Amino acid sequence: MLDESDLKNRLVHRKENVYFIITLLFSILVYVVLVFSIIGIAIILGFMLISYFFHALSMASIRRNGVRLSEQQFPDIYQKAVNLAKDMELEKLPAIYIMESMGVLNAFASRFFRENMVVVYSEVFDLVEDNREKELMFVLAHEFAHLKRRHVLVHLLLLPAMFIPFLGDSYLRACEYTCNRYAAYYVSDMNAAKEALSMLAIGKKLSTKMNKDAYIEQLKEESGFFAWLSEKLSSHPDLPKRMNALDHWAHPEQYPLHREKKTGIILGILISIVLVVFLTGAAALFLENSIALPTFSDSSLLEDDEYIYDEESFDYPPIIEALINEDLGLLQELVAEGADIDEKDSDDFTALQYAVIWGDIEATQWLIENGADVNTTDSWGSTPLMNAVYSDAGVEIVNLLLENGADKTLTDSEGKTAFDYAVENRDTQLRDLLK
């Protein structure tokens, strides 16, 4: 097993239990509400029976047509599976079936009339022929972990929450992180674990040649609101994040956990909300006008000026709005009239924070010269220095902040300093500057 003595105590991802409680409470509430009506009881029973019927039909087909691993069928792999199940303290070895997959790489855990089972697609099982049994055992251990953590057993209980955007998927993603840890721990080979995950990204033939570190680095480039949203609507974490999370779990000091850039995500959410409000208002206005069309023969209606739509805008302080509009004259005028140069918006960002994040050296220098606080903090406890490093604003801006009193020892809400972000970004120049 892996050498770190405390890894076994950290096999369960911290978010799994949190999301389990939330999804459980929500699902129980839905069931309670439905139970109070005869129609609700009929809906629950009908949905459960239909779901169970088609699931049982599918599993029965697999059990009849799939090849079951046994002492007679691939005995070497069977014995390794037996040993693995024993190490993981499973009460009983699940029935393991191999089935043709037409090139699809996949495996899953399930139940059939109170019996646990694991289905491995033939494309994965073919790893035996390539002397890559460790990767195969990682896949088996991952599915065994789903059974050990009873993810399959509680799925029906949590079913109502699975239809709620973000909620059910958040729980499922946390379960995947947990099962990756279990599999890596009991297979005792981090390289095999990352190879198995690499196969899902590029296939079996090229996974051994793939640069895993470069793949994880893609997270910094492929970021933003839509990248974030695509994962939040998925039941599985993004593959490079799964690999990064495994590295961080095993060696947290050596491999920092990827941190989503919040500014782009927040702006994306705000823009999406504005678009939804705008489209909803436009649709309501259209319907209202459509309904009123038969009365438009009344000339008094034509003279009314009721249907004017006032578009909402972001409520930025004047100082920040002037900076956003690149109106330096207005900015200077506001400061000259006594406006607070450190006035904050709803996210506690000042004009200096925005100038730093955008890499605007001239605005940054002007704001500092006119008294802007270089150690102000936003809602996440980040200083301009931290945001300069995190957003790759450049050495010139970082130097400017340091020369004007920026405190490089301050930590944000996650306990990280500007130096920590330089290490995460693998920026040796900034790392040496911030030591």
Side-chain angles (χ1 to χ4, degrees):
M1 296 181 183
L2 294 171
D3 294 336
E4 288 79 355
S5 58
D6 68 327
L7 285 185
K8 191 170 184 179
N9 297 324
R10 295 188 288 113
L11 289 177
V12 180
H13 192 270
R14 60 185 177 83
K15 290 185 179 180
E16 181 185 328
N17 291 329
V18 174
Y19 285 126
F20 173 74
I21 293 172
I22 296 172
T23 54
L24 178 63
L25 290 176
F26 177 85
S27 298
I28 290 175
L29 180 62
V30 172
Y31 285 132
V32 169
V33 171
L34 290 176
V35 161
F36 277 102
S37 69
I38 296 176
I39 296 177
I41 295 173
I43 290 173
I44 294 174
L45 292 176
F47 191 82
M48 285 184 172
L49 287 173
I50 292 172
S51 176
Y52 189 78
F53 174 81
F54 284 104
H55 173 75
L57 199 64
S58 174
M59 294 303 102
S61 175
I62 291 173
R63 293 169 71 92
R64 286 292 293 267
N65 296 289
V67 176
R68 181 167 181 173
L69 206 63
S70 66
E71 293 177 342
Q72 292 77 40
Q73 229 29 298
F74 303 100
D76 292 342
I77 302 299
Y78 174 77
Q79 187 57 51
K80 290 181 179 181
V82 169
N83 294 338
L84 179 62
K86 184 178 180 181
D87 290 341
M88 295 181 69
E89 299 178 356
L90 292 179
E91 295 178 2
K92 181 182 177 183
L93 177 70
I96 303 172
Y97 293 88
I98 301 99
M99 60 178 292
E100 169 57 32
S101 60
M102 293 182 290
V104 177
L105 285 159
N106 197 15
F108 61 89
S110 187
R111 285 175 67 84
F112 182 77
F113 289 102
R114 300 181 66 182
E115 183 178 355
N116 289 329
M117 57 184 286
V118 170
V119 178
V120 181
Y121 284 10
S122 59
E123 192 69 15
V124 176
F125 198 77
D126 284 347
L127 290 167
V128 176
E129 292 298 301
D130 299 329
N131 295 319
R132 299 173 69 182
E133 291 183 3
K134 283 272 189 175
E135 286 94 320
L136 174 60
M137 299 314 294
F138 174 87
V139 174
L140 285 178
H142 180 98
E143 303 309 326
F144 285 2
H146 277 303
L147 298 173
K148 182 174 179 61
R149 293 291 301 165
R150 293 179 168 81
H151 295 155
V152 176
L153 188 62
V154 302
H155 191 269
L156 190 61
L157 179 62
L158 304 178
L159 201 55
M162 296 301 151
F163 292 98
I164 304 301
F166 302 108
L167 178 58
D169 288 331
S170 295
Y171 170 67
L172 295 176
R173 288 195 303 274
C175 291
E176 289 300 315
Y177 281 127
T178 293
C179 292
N180 283 343
R181 292 181 179 185
Y182 266 88
Y185 180 82
Y186 284 101
V187 172
S188 309
D189 192 326
M190 283 294 294
N191 289 330
K194 293 173 72 172
E195 284 292 338
L197 293 174
S198 299
M199 291 189 307
L200 300 177
I202 201 169
K204 293 187 301 184
K205 291 183 179 180
L206 295 176
S207 63
T208 56
K209 299 179 180 179
M210 189 178 88
N211 186 324
K212 278 73 173 176
D213 292 334
Y215 184 53
I216 294 173
E217 282 295 303
Q218 285 182 206
L219 288 169
K220 294 180 180 178
E221 300 173 10
E222 307 299 331
S223 59
F225 171 70
F226 288 103
W228 170 83
L229 183 62
S230 69
E231 184 188 34
K232 295 306 175 186
L233 295 175
S234 173
S235 60
H236 286 64
D238 292 333
L239 283 168
K241 287 187 71 173
R242 292 172 70 176
M243 294 170 69
N244 172 241
L246 266 184
D247 280 335
H248 180 73
W249 166 70
H251 305 290
E253 299 82 8
Q254 185 178 352
Y255 298 99
L257 194 63
H258 171 71
R259 183 191 185 196
E260 295 281 3
K261 190 175 181 180
K262 297 183 179 69
T263 306
I265 294 171
I266 293 170
L267 287 175
I269 293 173
L270 290 175
I271 291 170
S272 298
I273 292 172
V274 171
L275 284 174
V276 169
V277 171
F278 174 78
L279 292 174
T280 302
L285 185 62
F286 174 78
L287 290 173
E288 185 178 349
N289 284 327
S290 297
I291 294 171
L293 278 175
T295 66
F296 278 176
S297 58
D298 186 347
S299 61
S300 64
L301 289 178
L302 295 175
E303 294 172 0
D304 279 340
D305 193 24
E306 297 177 330
Y307 303 105
I308 299 175
Y309 180 72
D310 294 325
E311 184 176 355
E312 295 181 2
S313 61
F314 291 113
D315 187 20
Y316 290 115
I319 287 284
I320 294 176
E321 194 164 31
L323 179 70
I324 291 173
N325 294 328
E326 298 182 359
D327 192 342
L328 185 58
L330 177 59
L331 187 62
Q332 292 171 340
E333 183 180 336
L334 289 169
V335 173
E337 292 175 355
D340 183 5
I341 200 168
D342 290 319
E343 189 173 1
K344 297 184 175 184
D345 65 10
S346 58
D347 290 321
D348 288 342
F349 273 66
T350 64
L352 180 60
Q353 291 277 31
Y354 280 104
V356 163
I357 289 172
W358 295 335
D360 190 334
I361 185 67
E362 292 182 8
T364 300
Q365 185 168 3
W366 188 90
L367 289 165
I368 292 174
E369 289 174 352
N370 284 271
D373 183 4
V374 294
N375 290 311
T376 183
T377 56
D378 58 27
S379 299
W380 298 274
S382 297
T383 64
L385 183 62
M386 295 174 195
N387 282 327
V389 176
Y390 185 75
S391 58
D392 296 324
V395 176
E396 191 176 358
I397 284 184
V398 172
N399 261 324
L400 181 61
L401 290 167
L402 289 172
E403 289 169 0
N404 286 276
D407 188 349
K408 59 185 179 183
T409 65
L410 294 177
T411 59
D412 62 9
S413 58
E414 295 184 4
K416 294 182 178 181
T417 64
F419 173 79
D420 294 326
Y421 289 117
V423 173
E424 282 189 12
N425 289 345
R426 300 186 180 181
D427 191 321
T428 56
Q429 192 173 5
L430 288 183
R431 186 185 63 193
D432 293 338
L433 187 63
L434 293 165
K435 278 186 179 178

